[in-house]
Amino acid sequence: MELARRFPRVSAMPKVELTGGSEFLHRNFDGNQELATWDGELYLEMHRGTFTTKSNLKQLNRQMEFMLRNAELVLALRTLSGKAYPGEELTEIYKKVLLNQFHDILPGSHIRPVYEDAMADYEEAKKRLRALLSEAVVPDRLFNSLNFDRTLVQFIPMDGGAFERDGVTGTYRALRFPALEAADVPKSDGAGNADWIQVCPGENGKVLVKTGKWTAALFEDGSFESLQDSSGREYVRAGAGFNKLHIWADHPGMYDAWDILPNYKDVELPVRVVKGLRLTKADAACAELTADLATEKSTWQMIIRFFASDDRVIEVEHQVDWHEKHRLAKVNFGPDVLTREIVCDTSAGYIRRSLTKNTSWEQARYEVCHHKWFDLSEPDGGVAVINSGKYGVGLEGDEVSLSLLRSTIRPDIESDMGRHSLRYLIVPHEGDHLAAKINRLAFEYNVPLVRAEPAVPEWLRQLLTRAPLWLQCLKISEDGQYLVIRLSEQDGRRGTLSLPVEMVRMNMLEDVEGPADRVSYHPFELLTLGIPLEKLNRQA
C-alpha cells in the first residue's frame, strides 16, 4: 500500500489508483457494452488432481452432505408435530462442514495436520447429527427421505448379515420404499437358494457368469471381456478394457497434490493377480465374486456383486491397502457405444462434454469432474457408472476412466496412505440417461435410509411426490417463521406446479418475493417455497 502511494512520484511507473472492490466493479461493469459472454463450462487447465487427492476426505464429505440433508428434513417434519427445531445446532454443523470445503482442504492440497483436523471435524459433525436424530430413531423402521419411490437394491446393515460392505455387515434386499414413507426393517438376511446365478470356469482363467438377465465373461483380474443382456445386446466393446484396473506413474512436478499431467499414461505399473476371480459368497439376493490383486507395496481386493431381484445394476467394491508413492489408480470402461459425448452430473443438473480430441481445448480436457455419475449412450442404450465418493473422470478417446486413488507426497508425504473402501455401480441401460433415470438411481445409491418415522402431512407428500423435481432440502427458515421447501430441476425440463396450499416464493436467502399458488419451473432451476409455520399450526 505504501509503495502504491509512492508510484505517482516515479515517472517510469504506471498510474495506480486504490479503490474498494465495489467501486472497481461498478466503474468497470456498469453500462459496459464491450464485455464478452462465456456460455458453458469454464474449464481450468490445471489442478485436475484435486478431483481425486485425499480420497477418504472426499468420501466423508459426500456422506456429510446427504446426512445433513436427511437430518434437516426429519427434524423439520418433527417440528410440525410440536417438537423443537435445533436450528442453531444445525447451523454450527453446517459451518463446520462448509469450512472444510474451503480452499485447499476438500481439494486435498494441504499439509498433514489440516487433513487430521478435517477428518476429526467430520467425525464430530457425524456424532452431533446422530445425537440430534437420536430422539427420532425408530429402530424397526426405515424412512425414505427421497421424494420418489426407492426401487434400487439396498444394503441394509444388520448384525450377522451374510455380506460386508465398507466394513459393515448386512444384507442386500430389493425392497420398494415409497417416497417420504417408512417401511419395516427386514428381520432376516437373504439366506436361501442361489440357483438364480451360474458361475463356471472358462478358458485361460476366465470366469463365465449367467443370471436371468446377464451373460458375462470376466478375466481373472475382475475386468469384463463381455457383458450381454437377455436380448443379446453387448455392452463391452471388443478388445477394450471394461472395469479394468490400471495403476500409472504419476509425477506432476511442482504441483504434486494439485495436478495430473497429460503424460501420466507413459508408464503403467503391473498389477499382479494373487488369487483370480472366483465366486466367494451367494444367497437368494446377491452373489459376490472376488479377485485378490497386488502391487509391490499395496494389496487390492476387487468384489463384484450381481443381484437376483434388481438386475439393472452390478456393484463393484474395492478394498485397498494403499502404500504407493507417485501413483494414480484408475478403472477403465470401454463400452460398446457409439457416441462423441459423455454426460456428467453436476450438483444440480448435468453437462455434456466432447469425447473427441480435434482441438487443443478438447485435448486439454483429459481429466474432468463430476459428482455422482457419468453416462455414455446411444439413442437406444448405453452404460452409466454411479459412484459413492469419486469425482475425477478421464476422457481417453474411445474409453473413459474413473479415478480412484492417488499417492502424492507434496505437501503431505503421507497423502492417501492406508485403507480405502471404494464403490460404484455399473448400469447398462436402454435409452439415454434420462430414459433410464440414472440421476434418480444415483440418489438412491448415495442417500441412506433413516431409522425414523416422521409424520409427513398428506398435502406435503402429494406436492413433493407429484413434482418431477428433486427435493434439495426441507428445513425451517433461518428466522424460524417458515417451513422451507427447496426443489431443483435436474433433467433440463420445464413445467408448472399447482400448490395445494397458498405459499410464498423465496430466493435462496429466504427473502420472501411474494405469494404463490402456482409456480413455473425451468431447466436446471432452483425453486424455493415457504409456508408460514403459524398457518401450519392453525391447520393442525
Side-chain angles (χ1 to χ4, degrees), residues 74-95:
V74 169
L75 295 168
L77 289 173
R78 280 170 57 83
T79 301
L80 303 184
S81 302
K83 307 295 183 181
Y85 184 72
E88 292 185 3
E89 178 82 354
L90 283 170
T91 297
E92 289 180 11
I93 298 171
Y94 257 114
K95 286 181 177 179

Side-chain angles (χ1 to χ4, degrees), residues 4 11 46 72 116 128 139 216 254 276 293 295 316 392 414 449 501:
S11 60
M46 292 181 67
E72 214 171 32
E116 293 169 352
R128 291 171 72 176
M254 179 177 178
L293 313 172
T295 65
V316 182
E414 299 178 73
L449 293 158
V501 296

